[in-house]
Amino acid sequence: MTTSPVDPAAFTAFEHEGWQRVADRYHGRFREVTTQSIEPLLDAAGAGPGVRLLDVASGPGYVAATAAKRGVLVTGLDFAAAMVDLARRLHPGVEFREGDAQALPFDDESFDAVVMNYGILHLAEPERAIREGLRVLRPGGRYAFTVWAGDARGFAIVIEAVERHGDVNVPLPPGPPFFQFGEPAECERTLLAAGFRAAKTVRLDQVWRVASPNTFVDEYLDSSVRTGALLRAQKPEALAAIGRQVREVLEQYRQGETVVLPVPAILAYATKA
């Protein structure tokens, strides 16, 4: 959303406060769209029985819970206590703890696999988080993460409406570009630069089924962090215009009673030498 320099401390504090506030609402509204990539993510990480796996930025715990059902020895880690509490309520018996993805509270070579499902989008220093993943992996261990592809319309249409009818230069802590890793080549380059080998990517063609176009912007307002804050900072007349444009665009994706938005993702994975 901005090209201003990123202040890691300010952006991390902004994201932390946001996830503390929206944890339960995020679970209710974004679960369907974020869980579609879990099985491919775990497959790419080689997550099978007995594998020691770290789920970074675990959020409501969807990935960790799925891994546990596979017989994986999994730990979920999130920096927001509200998310950790939610994950523990949803998935009793699965281990979750607080911690920073950019400074993992684990010894070197503690895990066989490390995964992150869309968490990298919310980090002030994503490259640092990837290097931390490398550090806690044993030699030969696998690292895998997912991000939204650059043509994921379900996330782009709101920003496009703000750019047309509102103000993107509102006083929010600058963060890395939302689609920084929206191209496969950038994902592979970053993994290799961190020290991994054999970096690969797979495109995951997913969809977001929207029951009510009329509430789509409202759901962003109270269930997301960065985009929600951007929307709340708009003037009332601008927000109304943003809502009208979003509804018009959503109608282009209507299939019967449901709007079906394409939200492709990129799954990137690599191995520690």
Side-chain angles (χ1 to χ4, degrees):
M1 296 182 196
T2 179
T3 57
S4 301
V6 176
D7 179 338
F11 184 74
T12 298
F14 164 75
E15 285 276 336
H16 183 267
E17 185 279 329
W19 292 114
Q20 286 284 94
R21 177 169 38 81
V22 306
D24 286 286
R25 294 191 294 275
Y26 174 86
H27 165 60
R29 291 174 176 165
F30 288 92
R31 177 179 181 177
E32 187 268 340
V33 71
T34 60
T35 56
Q36 296 176 48
S37 54
I38 291 177
E39 296 290 354
L41 176 69
L42 292 175
D43 289 344
V51 168
R52 296 168 299 165
L53 182 140
L54 176 64
D55 175 21
V56 180
S58 53
Y62 309 139
V63 174
T66 304
K69 291 177 182 178
R70 291 183 171 204
V72 172
L73 306 176
V74 60
T75 299
L77 181 104
D78 200 281
F79 75 157
M83 279 295 190
V84 173
D85 290 343
L86 173 62
R88 288 171 175 166
R89 295 198 309 270
L90 292 173
H91 316 290
V94 179
E95 180 185 356
F96 295 97
R97 58 181 291 184
E98 288 182 56
D100 185 353
Q102 299 155 133
L104 294 174
F106 302 104
D107 293 335
D108 296 355
E109 301 182 9
S110 297
F111 296 94
D112 304 310
V114 176
V115 297
M116 185 159 31
N117 198 37
Y118 304 110
I120 203 167
L121 307 170
H122 305 289
L123 302 178
E125 300 176 284
E127 294 88 353
R128 181 180 172 190
I130 292 173
R131 292 194 300 271
E132 276 291 275
L134 179 74
R135 179 183 65 78
V136 301
L137 273 174
R138 65 165 176 78
R142 296 187 188 180
Y143 184 88
F145 69 87
T146 52
V147 290
W148 302 114
D151 57 342
R153 294 298 294 149
F155 296 94
I157 59 175
V158 175
I159 303 304
E160 291 170 357
V162 174
E163 291 172 343
R164 180 174 179 182
H165 298 288
D167 181 7
V168 296
N169 297 311
V170 295
L172 298 175
F178 186 81
F179 288 112
Q180 176 179 348
F181 298 100
E183 297 297 330
E186 180 60 19
C187 296
E188 294 178 13
R189 185 201 67 77
T190 304
L191 286 168
L192 294 174
F196 285 99
R197 62 176 177 83
K200 299 179 182 178
T201 56
V202 176
R203 181 181 171 92
L204 304 176
D205 289 317
Q206 306 174 155
V207 297
W208 189 352
R209 300 185 187 279
V210 180
S212 175
N214 293 328
T215 63
F216 193 73
V217 170
D218 291 336
E219 291 178 359
Y220 265 100
L221 271 166
D222 67 1
S223 304
S224 66
V225 175
R226 212 185 325 187
T227 304
L230 178 66
L231 289 168
R232 288 192 296 274
Q234 304 303 313
K235 295 179 179 178
E237 59 272 21
L239 189 59
I242 290 164
R244 286 194 297 271
Q245 177 171 320
V246 168
R247 289 192 294 273
E248 290 173 1
V249 174
L250 288 175
E251 287 300 326
Q252 299 172 18
Y253 296 93
R254 180 171 291 282
Q255 296 181 14
E257 296 298 316
T258 307
V259 171
V260 182
L261 283 173
V263 283
I266 297 170
L267 165 60
Y269 59 100
T271 303
K272 181 174 180 177

